[in-house]
Amino acid sequence: MACNSGYCKSGCHGVGDEDEDKRPATLNGEPSNRAPPGDGDSEPSTDCNARCFKCKVNETISPSYPTIAGGGDFGRFCIDCFRGNLFGKFRFAVTSNAMILPSDNLLVAFSGGASSRVALEFVHKMQQKAQKNFDASRDRSLPVFGVGVAFIDERASFAFPSNDFDRAINEMSLIVSSLAPPAKQFHVVPTEIIFSPNCASGRAKLTEIITAIDDVTGKADFLEYLRMLSLQKIAMENGYTKLVLGTCTSRIACHVLEATVKGQGFSLAADIQYADARWKIPVVLPLRDCLSEELNMICSLDCLKTVEASRQPLSGINGLISAFVKLLQEENPSRESTIVRTAGKLTPFCFNTVPEVDDHKVQLASQRRHKKYNLKLNESLPPESFCIICRSPLMKSDVTALNGFVDAGPITEILLSTCSSCQYQILPKDPSSLEYFHSLLPQSMTSPVKNNYDNKKCLREQIQDFLLSD
C-alpha cells in the first residue's frame, strides 16, 4: 500500500503495490533511462538527465557516486545545493533554539569521526562569519563567540595500541590547528582524570570499576557516561559555556530503540532534544536533523579529513540495535527520520531549553525563531531527582520514596538514587558489594546523593528530641 505521505522518500509515489511493476521508473516526473527491473540481459544505465531538485540546472550527486547507499538528499540535489541544504539544517537548528550566542564559549566534542568533524567545521564556519561581521561593524559592541575542541582519551578502558592512538591524536591536533583563525585550543583529557588527579590512581580505579560491571551493555553505557563527565570537567575548568555534540539523526534513532529496550522510556524525551541543560554546562545538538550518510558525504565532497581513532565495537543491546537500524535504513531511507520524528512527539522536560542570558544587547542581537514548548519551568527538578550514574530524570514516585527515607542507610540511598536500568545493568547484584562499588564511582557522580544523605542525617539529629519513639 502507498504511504500517501509528502515526506516519504521510499519512492512509492502513491502507487498501489499491484501497479508497481507496470509503472515505468520516473525521476521528478520525467521518464527514466534506467532499464526495467528484472531485465538480466541489459546493463543498468545511469540517468544523465537527472537535474537538481533546487537549482534545476546541475546534475544530482547520485550519478557521480553510484555506490552510495540510499538515504539523505543525494538523489535530489547537486553538490552545491546539497552542501547548502545540509548547512541550512545546521543553521536552522542553531538559530531556532538559540544554541550559539555572541557571549558563548563553545566546546566541541571531537572524536575524529564524520559527525564531530562536520560539527566542528560548521561551528568554525559560523565563527568566521561572526568575526567578519565584528570586523566590519563600527561599534563592535558584540563579541565573537569562542570555540575550543576536546578529545577524550579512552585507551585506559580498552586494549589499544599506544602508537596508533598517539598517531590519531596528532592527526586530530593538526586538523584543529589547520583551521583558519580565530584559533581554537585543543584539549586531550584521559577518562581516568575524573577519578583522581593522579593518573595512575585514577587508571586503577577505572579498571577496577569496569571489571566489576558484568553486563556487556551496562559496561558500554557506563563508559559513555564517563565520557560525558570528562567533557563536563574540561568545560567547567576552562570556562566554556556550552558543549556541542555531533549527535545526528542516525545516532538518535538508535538511542530511541536502545532506551525503549532498556526500560528508559520515562527519560527518553530528555536525551533527544536540541538542548539539554540538566548538566552544569548545557549540551546542544546542532546536527540533530542530519543523517550520518549525509555527514559522510559532505566529508567526502569537501575533503574534510577524519581520523579513525580506535574504538571498541558496539556489542550487547547497542550492537544489535545499531545493526537493526542500519538494516531498516537500507530497506527504506526514511526509517531513521521516522523514528526520530515519532519520538520527538514526547513532551520535553523543563531543562530541554537553553538558559536565557541576562545581557540585553546579546538578547537583541540574537532574537531567533525560538521553538515554543509547553514547559513547566516552575517545576524544576532538584539534583536528587536525577540518577547519579546516567543523569536520567527519575519518576516522581521514585523521588517521593527517596525523600521519605529519612532513616535510609547508604546502600538504600544508592538504590533509591539510581534508575531501574542502571540498577539492573551496572550496579552489582550482591548487596554486600554495593557500598564498595559506590566508593569506586567518581566524586562527580556520588556528590549529589552524598550531600542529600548528609543533609537528612543532620536534620534528623536536629529534630531527634521531638521525634516519637517506636
Side-chain angles (χ1 to χ4, degrees), residues 3 18 52 55 59 82 96 99 104 108 112 118 132 139 154 165 188 190 248 267 298 318 327 333 371 388 392 421 460:
C3 65
E18 64 277 2
C52 174
C55 69
E59 191 180 70
F82 171 76
S96 60
M99 293 184 184
D104 279 335
V108 180
V118 174
K132 291 180 180 179
D139 54 357
E154 297 178 298
F165 212 89
V188 180
C248 62
S267 62
I298 199 66
N318 300 337
L327 179 61
K371 293 188 175 180
I388 63 172
S392 296
S421 178
R460 182 175 180 82

Side-chain angles (χ1 to χ4, degrees), residues 401-413 416 453 456-457 460-461 463-464 467-468 470:
L402 174 62
N403 294 330
F405 270 76
V406 180
D407 299 333
I411 295 180
T412 306
E413 199 78 20
L416 292 174
Y453 176 72
K456 289 180 180 179
K457 184 178 180 181
R460 182 175 180 82
E461 292 176 353
I463 63 175
Q464 181 69 37
L467 297 176
L468 296 176
D470 296 335

